[in-house]
Amino acid sequence: MSETMKAVDIKGGAGPIENLYIADIPKPKATGAQALVKIKAFGLNRMDLLQREGQYPVPPQAPKTLGVEFSGIIEAVGEAPERGFKAGDEVFGLAYGGAYAEYIAVSTHMLVHKPSELSWEQCAAIPETWITATQAMYLVSHFAPGKSILWHAAASSVSIAGIQLSVADGASKVLATARQDEKCEFAVKELGATAAFNAKTSNWVDEVLKATDGQGVDIIIDFIGADYFQQNLDAVARDGVIVNLGMMGGIKLREGTDISAFVRKRVTFKGSSLRSRDEAYQGKLRDQLVEHALPRFRDGRFKLLIDKVLPWEQIQEAQRLLEENKTKGKVICTIE
């Protein structure tokens, strides 16, 4: 058996898309509770772009190879795998890194058995996206049926998951924003959002207040950061929660930002990330995904939306699609 494998590497360790190439690197080995998985498909995420540029804080246990979600077949297991996982099993899962490769060594506590109803590409689109949405809704913002919720970046993969979870789990109103009319229409007609507002051409705060009878929205899930900070405070309800998962709109607040809503409305602002969490925390989220969402994937109640599938030899083009911010759903790469 070969001691090496092919994986996506970055010339110079960091840089532009053009620095991505496929190289030969040492093949990992499964130890302890790990499995060695031969990868069939992997999903791309915005954190991959930041990591490629050297701007993402990678957890110390992560390999330098990009990629955190994948599907494939277990080739071998370590000496103490989680019960129920063995060589030959078809699985998908979440990792701290290393998914842009032919093989990955990953904890069996973060694996899920692949349902026969789903393709390799669909399964590779699930872990990071749906677990992040689950975490933001339940563990961070404490969503409960009857609460209203707003998802920014409506056509992003996490919001596609979150909107569907919110509708299915009894939100009183599921609102969304995007910067294109087409994406707003998509959120309502395809995902079931109550309403979606074009953040580029409308005053989305006014629209949110109208949609909630002037009360504001109970939970806001935000990926934009500084550019929406003031508007989020204006749109959130009393005792509302704002969860920040990204900073696509910058990290520096504008002069004149009014933070009085923190006291007037008793607002809670939380920042969160998934990749930096320990294995036990991630394992609980995996279990919640399996119990709560997997049956809905299998029978088609939840849509797994994939914008583009490319062979991994076209990794530069795949990341370019993400960088252009024109996708609705996941970009997936396959390995033959």
Side-chain angles (χ1 to χ4, degrees):
M1 189 178 293
S2 174
E3 295 296 313
T4 64
M5 66 173 182
K6 295 192 178 300
V8 175
D9 206 346
I10 309 166
K11 293 174 186 173
I17 284 175
E18 291 73 22
N19 284 25
L20 294 173
Y21 73 107
I22 294 178
D24 288 310
I25 68 169
K27 182 179 174 181
K29 291 180 172 62
T31 59
Q34 290 181 326
L36 179 68
V37 179
K38 182 175 174 58
I39 293 178
K40 301 285 285 185
F42 60 83
L44 277 68
N45 293 282
R46 198 160 292 278
M47 75 176 85
D48 303 344
L49 309 183
L50 296 172
Q51 185 178 336
R52 187 202 72 228
E53 294 168 349
Q55 297 178 14
Y56 190 93
V58 179
Q61 67 270 48
K64 69 170 187 173
T65 303
L66 299 169
V68 298
E69 59 184 349
F70 60 90
S71 60
I73 301 171
I74 294 179
E75 185 169 280
V77 293
E79 55 273 20
E82 184 177 322
R83 185 178 299 175
F85 290 100
K86 64 185 185 307
D89 285 355
E90 297 182 346
V91 295
F92 63 94
L94 185 68
Y96 288 109
Y100 284 26
E102 289 183 311
Y103 293 89
I104 188 169
V106 60
S107 170
T108 49
H109 299 297
M110 287 310 299
L111 292 178
V112 178
H113 286 103
K114 174 186 173 295
S116 59
E117 297 91 342
L118 302 180
S119 68
W120 294 113
E121 293 84 356
Q122 287 175 310
C123 286
I126 293 172
E128 172 67 19
T129 296
W130 285 83
I131 289 178
T132 295
T134 299
Q135 176 198 25
M137 275 182 66
Y138 294 101
L139 272 67
V140 181
S141 65
H142 303 293
F143 172 84
K147 289 190 176 184
S148 57
I149 188 166
L150 168 66
W151 293 85
H152 287 307
S156 70
S157 296
V158 174
S159 288
I160 286 172
I163 290 168
Q164 293 184 80
L165 284 166
S166 303
V167 171
D169 293 348
S172 59
K173 283 186 171 61
V174 183
L175 306 176
T177 71
R179 295 177 64 81
Q180 297 172 28
D181 287 339
E182 179 190 2
K183 291 182 176 181
C184 291
E185 187 175 330
F186 163 79
V188 174
K189 291 187 175 179
E190 295 293 325
L191 304 178
T194 310
F197 315 115
N198 189 322
K200 198 173 183 180
T201 61
S202 72
N203 185 325
W204 64 263
V205 174
D206 285 350
E207 296 296 338
V208 167
L209 293 174
K210 286 178 193 172
T212 57
D213 300 320
Q215 298 302 303
V217 69
D218 295 318
I219 296 168
I220 297 176
I221 310 295
D222 177 47
F223 311 88
I224 310 303
D227 279 357
Y228 282 9
F229 187 85
Q230 182 68 68
Q231 291 158 297
N232 285 335
L233 289 176
D234 295 339
V236 74
R238 178 168 289 181
D239 294 317
V241 180
I242 301 167
V243 179
N244 179 257
L245 300 179
M247 289 157 283
M248 293 167 61
I251 60 173
K252 301 290 185 182
L253 296 183
R254 295 172 183 173
E255 188 176 348
T257 297
D258 178 1
I259 64 171
S260 63
F262 283 111
V263 175
R264 286 188 293 106
K265 297 184 182 180
R266 301 189 294 266
V267 172
T268 300
F269 184 97
K270 295 184 178 182
S272 187
S273 67
L274 177 60
R275 195 174 181 183
S276 60
R277 304 285 189 171
D278 63 33
E279 190 178 298
Y281 180 99
Q282 293 192 4
K284 288 178 184 176
L285 283 167
R286 180 212 55 178
D287 293 344
Q288 190 167 351
L289 178 80
V290 169
E291 293 166 13
H292 189 66
L294 197 61
R296 294 171 179 174
F297 295 140
R298 300 182 76 148
D299 65 18
R301 281 178 290 168
F302 280 165
K303 298 176 181 178
L304 294 168
L305 296 167
I306 296 173
D307 191 275
K308 193 81 171 178
V309 177
L310 295 168
W312 77 317
E313 291 85 356
Q314 295 181 34
I315 187 60
Q316 291 187 12
E317 175 60 22
Q319 283 212 355
R320 195 168 283 114
L321 286 169
L322 243 64
E323 212 162 62
E324 290 171 351
N325 201 31
K326 294 178 181 176
T327 55
K328 294 198 294 285
K330 295 291 292 189
V331 176
I332 301 293
C333 283
T334 55
I335 301 177
E336 292 297 329

